[in-house]
Amino acid sequence: MKKGYWVGCYREILDQEKLTKYAELAGPAILKAGGKFLVRGIPTKTYEHGLKERTVVIEFENLEVALRAHQSHEYAAALEALDGGAIRDIRVIEGFDNSTIWMSLIW
């Protein structure tokens, strides 16, 4: 089964205190839901109009689990704590089978 991923880009941090509280709640909520943090931080280098902004990538067992994690009560509490403290772009994406990578790149 294909894995599910959250990809989050932080466009702007407006309130560091709110972001800290969000992180204190979101981390355990995501881990409880089966998430595994793969990437957290500022890019070392960007290419092709890339933005040098905080990026987070979280892996889940599958897409359904990733979607349920975002809808959990625990994660809702984290979002409530964030309360506009950051402008973010969060995407939930289904992984793919590496054996079909070339076909998926062609579209």
Side-chain angles (χ1 to χ4, degrees), residues 2 96-107:
K2 297 176 186 177
F96 60 89
D97 179 352
N98 279 324
S99 66
T100 61
I101 188 171
W102 296 115
M103 290 306 294
S104 65
L105 289 174
I106 295 170
W107 304 93

Side-chain angles (χ1 to χ4, degrees), residues 2 6 11 21 28 31-32 40 42 48 57 60 65 73-75 82 85 87 96 102-103:
K2 297 176 186 177
W6 287 13
R11 305 288 184 223
K21 185 61 180 168
L31 293 174
K32 180 180 176 184
R40 289 175 67 184
I42 306 292
E48 299 180 35
V57 178
F60 291 87
V65 172
H73 295 293
E74 293 90 346
Y75 190 69
L82 183 58
I87 298 171
F96 60 89
W102 296 115
M103 290 306 294

Side-chain angles (χ1 to χ4, degrees), residues 8-83:
C9 298
Y10 287 69
R11 305 288 184 223
E12 188 176 357
I13 296 171
L14 304 171
D15 185 325
Q16 185 60 51
E17 196 171 304
K18 286 181 178 182
L19 182 60
T20 298
K21 185 61 180 168
Y22 161 81
E24 289 171 358
L25 296 170
I30 291 166
L31 293 174
K32 180 180 176 184
K36 177 182 176 184
F37 286 85
L38 300 180
V39 175
R40 289 175 67 184
I42 306 292
T44 302
K45 180 76 177 149
T46 61
Y47 298 95
E48 299 180 35
H49 305 288
L51 302 174
K52 200 158 190 154
E53 59 194 15
R54 178 180 172 79
T55 304
V56 179
V57 178
I58 305 166
E59 180 182 76
F60 291 87
E61 181 181 343
N62 57 53
L63 185 61
E64 189 174 302
V65 172
L67 293 170
R68 270 199 318 262
H70 195 273
Q71 298 164 354
S72 73
H73 295 293
E74 293 90 346
Y75 190 69
L79 288 175
E80 187 175 318
L82 183 58
D83 186 35

